[in-house]
Amino acid sequence: EVQLVQSGAEVKKPGESLRISCKGSGYSFSSYWISWVRQMPGKGLEWMGRIDPSNSYTNYSPSFQGHVTISADKSISTAYVQWSSLKASDTAMYYCARLRLTAADMDVWGTGTTVSVSS
Amino acid sequence: NFMLTQPHSVSESPGKTVTISCTRSSDSIASNYVQWYQQRPGSAPTIVIYEDDQRPSGVPDRFSGSIDSSSNSASLTISALKTEDEADYYCQSYDSSDLKVVFGGGTKLTVL
């Protein structure tokens, strides 16, 4: 079964750093891009960026460029998104998803990671 | 750059048919494939339509997708509505000019 399993919920303070993860299984992890998607409380889906795990090439939405870093370790089939200095406005659910380049569709989604940032 | 615009909400009765629109702001809707995702409360999104009108295995044939060049929009149609179809639905496409994924704002479907 193709799965993306994400790391657990996080509670952080403003200014702290954080890295959350997304582990793929049941398929060749390097053969598909991984996208990250933010969903703020009660709001819609926002695309953050994507990574090609085979070579770690990334591209970001302008809204997230410079504020998050997306990375991957293909040896352990895991992608990451990290923040160096969290803000309260980073409070959201974060999803990873497998991205198929032919149509740029996301056919498998992760379980989601809730990030809460509060002083 | 372009935007995808969806109605905030739609409602319909069980057994009826509902259509959700997704209008592209610039360039042709046919320039890039459109996908549709269903998100039930408290759950991750799941894909229900890809490549404009293709249904993944396991998605009921009550779900169908189409594009209309005259209105520059895509549509998701759900027939024989069930209460379990109550969810948020998002359209999504791709901006080839800057390699960016674009989501619509989402439509809340109420089945009452």
Side-chain angles (χ1 to χ4, degrees), chain A residues 28-117:
Chain A
S28 173
F29 188 73
S30 295
S31 298
Y32 295 82
W33 292 60
I34 293 288
S35 270
W36 285 93
V37 176
R38 182 176 78 175
Q39 188 168 38
M40 299 177 77
K43 302 298 183 182
L45 304 176
E46 300 174 88
W47 183 72
M48 300 169 64
R50 61 177 180 169
I51 187 164
D52 179 351
S54 69
N55 59 16
S56 291
Y57 173 81
T58 54
N59 77 295
Y60 295 87
S61 163
S63 301
F64 293 89
Q65 180 88 47
H67 187 57
V68 300
T69 301
I70 295 172
S71 60
D73 184 342
K74 64 183 179 182
S75 70
I76 55 171
S77 301
T78 301
Y80 306 93
V81 61
Q82 66 183 63
W83 295 258
S84 59
S85 181
L86 285 161
K87 303 176 183 178
S89 56
D90 294 317
T91 295
M93 176 72 83
Y94 292 87
Y95 294 103
C96 62
R98 189 175 80 165
L99 179 69
R100 299 190 297 192
L101 277 186
T102 47
D105 64 308
M106 287 164 274
D107 66 333
V108 180
W109 289 68
T111 48
T113 297
T114 299
V115 174
S116 298
V117 184

Side-chain angles (χ1 to χ4, degrees), chain A residues 35 37 39 43-47 50 57 59 61-62 95 99-107 109-112, chain B residues 33-35 37 39 42-47 49-51 88 90 92-94 98-105:
Chain A
S35 270
V37 176
Q39 188 168 38
K43 302 298 183 182
L45 304 176
E46 300 174 88
W47 183 72
R50 61 177 180 169
Y57 173 81
N59 77 295
S61 163
Y95 294 103
L99 179 69
R100 299 190 297 192
L101 277 186
T102 47
D105 64 308
M106 287 164 274
D107 66 333
W109 289 68
T111 48
Chain B
Y33 286 120
V34 175
Q35 281 67 238
Y37 302 90
Q39 186 179 32
S43 296
T46 60
I47 192 165
I49 294 290
Y50 67 100
E51 292 182 1
D88 293 325
Y90 295 90
Q92 174 257 310
S93 191
Y94 183 67
D98 59 2
L99 309 181
K100 187 176 73 172
V101 169
V102 180
F103 283 105

